[in-house]
């Protein structure tokens, strides 16, 4: 038992660090993803990685994966987190991509995988529906066969960044008479330019527009766009959800955020001394630090299990719960650190960027919005309540 | 011991309940706060007409002879509706300064204008470096002939864009963090050298950062004694905290009611989510937090007239307990609403945001816990 | 709205304070109740109060109550808490007494109420059964009519201090064929000297013996001992449980315990300074203090409702939950305060009381035992989970 | 990175699992700890025979060439069985002092006796006034000819009633709380002037308060350099903490398993209580706490050999996190067991008590949080 990286792993770290330093777009360094960025910024790094052949490390090598070990992938994510890199969006690379190479036919692989790898095709996810929430299988969107086409009608929601999407993958009910809600669902790829699709942005409590409602009205989709077998979509959907959960602990990013929090707390004052020297505040930061250490080792243990061939099972639910709790706590403490300057609503400040007096320190500007926005993490990707249900059933056997 | 409100207070509550119901549904509020001015002066006039702005002032000062309990009633109802109109800045804060520290002339000029709603005031106390320390005042007021000249920067002055006048804390002597040497002034916002940077706040109000650049004020702008302003500032701030605690309780109650109601309507796996025991117990904990908060809100208000130590201890205890409850209730309300709770469309998110910002006004949980500990040890 | 006591109430406080100072047994002052005390100490104050006519303040005056207002009763409990007085045990005064005067016949009132008032008759409670727990109605003990007697068989548990009891009140199943478990139960008074009763002490985790298992084997009880109607016992049982819950907040006692905790923390050292000056510890004490203030006002609000004729409803569940959480937290912090000297098991120290060196400060001696013992408070009297179920149903309507 | 145990470590674990299963069921343990001596020397001999007491010593010191990870394996299993026999005091603490600070002669005499089980040692460091500060040493060792004379009072020395020898921290110079001037001695418990007051502990072990009254020890009783003992004491204590963290993890795991199992058996309202979602989620939280604790236990052990700062930071982090988890898991285990959890009869109460006392050994959550904060700021 030891925590050391092998010489090969250390060399790998140096290689990727150098590559990132040289190639990551300078104007994006450290900024992280925000919904109000120009869309080309969101895929800039993806496109660079596509050219390098590093955009889909976890894929099988025959489809363009890098063949890295789980430890190498961990190092890769750590190094990217260090510059707060905007990684390839998951909808193509981690969600539909693996479904296509696992269950799609050759034509589908040929048509779609290159665009996903290169970042030239933007994908979105059509899973959730209004009213469905954690009960995904209760979906109502229908796909009715009409000759060589499916005619699709329904409404999807929480379609992240669909405003920029070229393609989407959708779960639709193809057999309304199936015995169970999980049956009779099909997994269909849809060109987002098809007539009848309307994407309406949803304003969130932080003021941003990262998700959408997507309305489908008599959308005609060629039957070739069906993945796998008709009515077997739930199988592919579950496969996809298991993929989605890996990496959700977000340890590397949270470590970086703890350092940013410490930086802020060194600049903010309490009783004329750095807030970081206030015992109350220092204690909260140390608690977060300790919780994050525990999560990191837990993730490494899971990773070690993966390398030994034990796939990520229900333990990933623990990573999701603790990971999101830490992410939320981080933004809560950051908001607390900035004091009064968490109150202004910076998005709507008139004449922002003008020569007027600034409002508070720059690091305060996203503090409230981030705190509000991060409440989503314990809701999405299977709410933390659902994760507890999973652990209760799968691990504790209750 | 008596936990009942007077008939008059109950009448006030009823008329406010109506006013809020009629003017503060989610859609109307959204429109109002996203309008250019961000508030409704006509509603303020209506509130003034109902006599609500005069409640906490004595009759001889031009009010209706009530006190802090009346403000509690008003602010509970304001909290229920997420009312943004500036009762605390104008009536409780500015009004409080004149009531406790004003000369007869000041009372006549200012309290009258507050009560009839003809002027709106804001309270400019916080500074970028001072965090929640009321004695950390860098803004200076230098004697100049009969008057003073103000220089400095006040941070996040709530309600300032709507105000015609400001109550400002400034240093007339001593070093930046000295307890002595702080004075309080009333300043016409249109005076030369008052530079404001206005903005909306995340909880739907408006605020300004204000720069005083050689602002001349006359001698009669001084409220209370020169250099001895801190005890007055502490008293008024405690009154403001008690009022905001009541506001938070009103907001919490609605957030809980909305969450319980949502859990009854919203189905998952074929049953209303309110049938899941885990969510039931969490909503029970929200309710319990609220009941404890309400008790602390009463305690803070009822102790405002006691000795300085008793008052500060009760107010800090309330701010701590309600700050904790506000965070927890806000977070749980969003979580139980799920994805819908994240949308700007539903009202619950707005309650969450107001309950979040509550903590950082007039000192957060940690600040008041420290004050409470220091008082317990004294 | 105000927090002031009326002049009458203040005068009342002075009266009871003087009475307590003069009459409370000197050798018991401050000691509180412990299971290993001589039983006569446990009823000493009860007997004194019986003579004064103050042993059952809440009873109707016709049965010996004092006619005090709820506020006066509150003052009474505060003043007793100030000396940590051992109050009349609840089994007679707060439990079976009210059942007897509410549902008993004249003969029963005449036979039993005087002994309960005077403290000369020691009562115990035969409600719980092994395996029943919070599901009280699932009880198995049977009472079968045989002429003028019931023949009772079964096993009760958690019968507090039954080792000293003269009489007990028992719930027995008289109709095993009733449609619901709540039906077919009868409320029966039993002389604990009746043949066939065996009381076996249960050792608890703190090493004490405050509860027992009570075995009933062919215990013959005269039918006159039935309270009210046969098979209607559940009604009386629920009435009794509602009575049990009042006063459970324990505010006055917890306030006293906070002061004791502060005293200990002024004597204990951390970094050579009083522990009470350590910010971490002070913060925890202040939090407790604040929580206790909130509970106190909540109880006073409930009391005010009672005075206005609104009986204590499900709000008393809030008092029970918060009251017991605070009591538990108090013992937890006390154990933390005493440091290493929470570890010795003082009950079994050989030669305790001898001239040997003492082991740690006296205030440390009950710290661990109290912490362990107080875990019971969130379990008994309707577990805190059951209280949450009650609030969920009765207040939130879920 | 490697989180696997060696084959040898797995074998050790297997043999310990058997040993504990055969000798540490609830009834047998109850009898053993309530016997006059409170432990089973014959079991200790058996453990020695299995070679377990020599695991963490190098072969040249007379051990079997293992290290802290071996102690982790042993203590996890000891924790599972609530084994009271003194592995930490004798092997980890005393053994650690000789291993890291002993002369060749000391190693030969003492490590040999520890490994073959012929002598048992206890570690006398805590004092009534010092709380968890290892440098707060009032016990004095005055130079006297070639040797020293010890005077002082050591508090709650775990395992001392079973020990023939004590490792004692004492001050050879400086003031009571100076970091310099502390020395470490090995003392024969039967020496003149060693007065012990023995007692059981609430978690089923035995301990003593020990008074040193002019106890003469020879020069070769000094372990390490005179006056420079603190870094050695800190190192050994950190090793002891890591071992006890592993013990706590073992105990937590069993407490959780017992609780889950109980919830499956125990019915209320006609269904097993394990079907109530509220209890399910609370057991999930217990499990999650355990998983985080296990990770921290590994981290602490794996960092023992790193730089002083890294070691201390990891050990304190583990003690904080596991201390928090131990409290929570213990309390929840009792609550979910209900009344039965309160009885001495069921094993769960004993796990709860051991997990409670864990926190106060070698510094509680607050103590180690402070050390962690200080290290983070350094």
């Amino acid at each position: 038992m030891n925590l050391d990286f092998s010489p090969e792993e250390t060399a790998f770290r140096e290689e990727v660090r150098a590559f990132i330093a040289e190639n990551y777009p300078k104007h994006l360094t450290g900024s992280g993803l925000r919904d109000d960025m120009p869309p080309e910024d969101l895929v800039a790094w993806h496109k660079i990685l596509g050219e390098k052949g590093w955009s889909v490390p976890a894929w099988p090598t025959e489809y363009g994966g890098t063949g890295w070990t789980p430890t190498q992938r961990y190092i890769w994510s750590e190094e990217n987190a260090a510059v707060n890199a905007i990684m390839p969006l998951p909808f193509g690379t981690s969600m539909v991509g693996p479904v296509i190479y696992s269950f799609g036919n050759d034509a589908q692989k040929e048509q779609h995988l290159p665009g996903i790898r290169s970042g030239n095709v933007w994908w979105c996810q059509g899973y959730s529906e209004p009213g469905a929430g954690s009960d995904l299988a209760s979906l109502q969107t229908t796909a009715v066969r009409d000759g060589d086409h499916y005619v699709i009608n329904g409404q999807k929601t929480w379609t992240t960044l669909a405003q920029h999407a070229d393609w989407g993958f959708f779960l639709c009910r193809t057999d309304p008479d199936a015995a169970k809600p999980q049956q009779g669902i099909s997994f269909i790829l849809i060109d987002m330019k098809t007539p009848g699709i309307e994407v309406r942005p949803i304003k969130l409590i932080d003021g941003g527009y990262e998700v959408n409602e997507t309305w489908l009205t008599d959308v005609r989709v060629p039957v070739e766009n069906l993945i796998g077998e008709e009515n077997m979509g739930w199988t592919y959907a579950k496969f996809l959800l298991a993929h989605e959960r890996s990496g959700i602990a977000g340890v590397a990013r949270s470590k970086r955020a703890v350092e940013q929090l410490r930086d802020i707390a060194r600049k903010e004052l309490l009783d004329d001394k750095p807030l970081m020297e206030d015992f109350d505040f220092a204690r909260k930061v140390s608690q977060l630090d300790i919780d994050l250490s525990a999560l990191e080792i837990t993730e490494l243990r899971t990773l070690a299990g993966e390398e030994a061939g034990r796939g990520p099972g229900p333990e990933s639910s623990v990573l999701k719960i603790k990971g999101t709790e830490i992410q939320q706590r981080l933004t809560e403490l950051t908001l607390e650190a900035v004091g009064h300057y968490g109150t202004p609503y910076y998005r709507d400040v008139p004449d922002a960027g003008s020569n007027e007096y600034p409002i508070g320190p720059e690091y305060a500007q996203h503090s409230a919005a981030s705190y509000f926005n991060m409440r989503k993490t314990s809701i999405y990707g299977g709410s933390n309540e659902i994760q507890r249900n999973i652990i209760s059933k799968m691990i504790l056997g209750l | 011991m008596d936990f009942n409100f007077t008939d008059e207070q109950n009448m006030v509550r009823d008329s406010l309940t109506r006013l809020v119901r009629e003017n503060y549904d989610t859609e109307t509020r959204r429109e109002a706060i996203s309008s250019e001015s961000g508030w409704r002066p006509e509603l303020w006039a209506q509130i003034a007409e109902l006599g609500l702005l005069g409640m906490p002032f004595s009759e001889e000062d031009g009010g209706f002879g009530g006190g802090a309990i009346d403000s509690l009633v008003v602010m509970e109802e304001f909290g229920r509706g997420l009312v943004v109109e500036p009762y605390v800045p104008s009536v409780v804060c500015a009004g409080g300064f004149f009531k406790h520290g004003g000369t007869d002339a000041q009372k006549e000029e200012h309290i009258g204008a507050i009560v009839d709603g003809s002027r709106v005031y804001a309270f400019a106390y916080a500074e970028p470096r001072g965090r929640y320390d009321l004695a950390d005042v860098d803004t200076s007021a230098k004697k100049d002939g009969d008057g003073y000249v103000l220089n400095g920067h006040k941070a996040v002055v709530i309600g300032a864009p709507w105000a015609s006048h400001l109550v400002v804390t400034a240093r007339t002597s001593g070093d930046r963090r000295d307890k002595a040497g702080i004075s309080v002034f009333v300043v016409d916002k249109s005076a030369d050298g008052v530079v404001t940077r206005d903005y909306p706040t995340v909880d739907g109000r408006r605020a300004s950062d204000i720069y005083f650049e050689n602002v001349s004020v006359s001698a009669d702008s001084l409220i209370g004694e020169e250099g001895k302003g801190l005890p007055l500032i502490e008293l008024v701030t405690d009154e403001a905290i008690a009022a905001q605690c009541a506001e938070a309780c009103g907001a919490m109650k609605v957030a809980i009611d909305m969450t319980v109601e949502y859990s009854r309507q919203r189905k998952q796996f074929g049953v209303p989510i309110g049938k899941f025991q885990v969510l039931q117990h969490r909503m029970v904990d929200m309710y319990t937090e609220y009941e404890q908060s309400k008790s602390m809100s009463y305690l803070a208000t009822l102790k405002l007239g006691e000795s300085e130590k008793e008052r500060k201890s009760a107010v800090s205890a309330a701010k701590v307990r309600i700050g904790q409850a506000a965070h927890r209730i806000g977070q749980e309300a969003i979580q139980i609403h799920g994805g819908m709770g994240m949308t700007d469309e539903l009202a619950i998110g707005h309650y969450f945001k107001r309950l979040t910002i509550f903590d950082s006004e007039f000192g957060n949980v940690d600040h008041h816990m420290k004050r409470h500990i220091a008082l317990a040890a004294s």
Side-chain angles (χ1 to χ4, degrees), chain B residues 88-105:
Chain B
V88 168
S90 199
V91 179
V92 181
C93 292
F97 278 107
F98 297 117
K99 178 165 76 173
H100 297 300
T103 60
D104 287 346

Side-chain angles (χ1 to χ4, degrees), chain A residues 131-132 134-135 158 203 205 268-269 271-272 278 280 284 337 340-341 343 345 356-357 371 378 385, chain B residues 131 155 176-177 197 199-202 209 211 213 266 268-269 282 331 335 339 342 344 353 366 370:
Chain A
S134 295
D135 185 7
W158 316 133
K203 187 177 183 186
I205 53 176
E268 286 287 323
L269 299 179
D271 285 346
D272 226 25
D278 173 59
D280 263 336
K284 287 186 267 199
H340 297 289
Y341 283 114
T343 298
Y345 182 50
E356 284 202 66
Y357 288 113
Y371 170 63
S378 50
E385 288 77 22
Chain B
R131 194 162 275 263
R176 197 184 106 220
R177 304 182 64 249
R197 182 89 159 88
Y199 45 82
T201 67
V202 292
D209 268 37
Y211 296 82
E213 301 181 340
R266 167 75 166 170
Q268 294 265 270
F269 308 104
R282 281 161 60 177
Q331 291 174 354
Q335 183 69 21
M342 290 296 300
D344 183 73
K353 290 191 278 188
D366 281 0
K370 286 187 174 78

Side-chain angles (χ1 to χ4, degrees), chain B residues 20-54:
Chain B
V20 168
R21 190 174 55 228
E22 284 164 13
N23 297 283
Y24 256 95
D25 63 284
T26 309
E27 262 324 298
T28 316
R29 177 178 182 274
R30 190 195 316 277
E31 260 173 57
I33 66 174
S34 54
S35 69
E36 199 184 325
S37 71
W39 75 314
R40 282 172 283 176
E42 69 281 8
L43 198 64
W44 193 243
Q46 201 180 327
I47 292 168
E49 243 164 70
L50 284 168
L52 299 179
L53 305 183

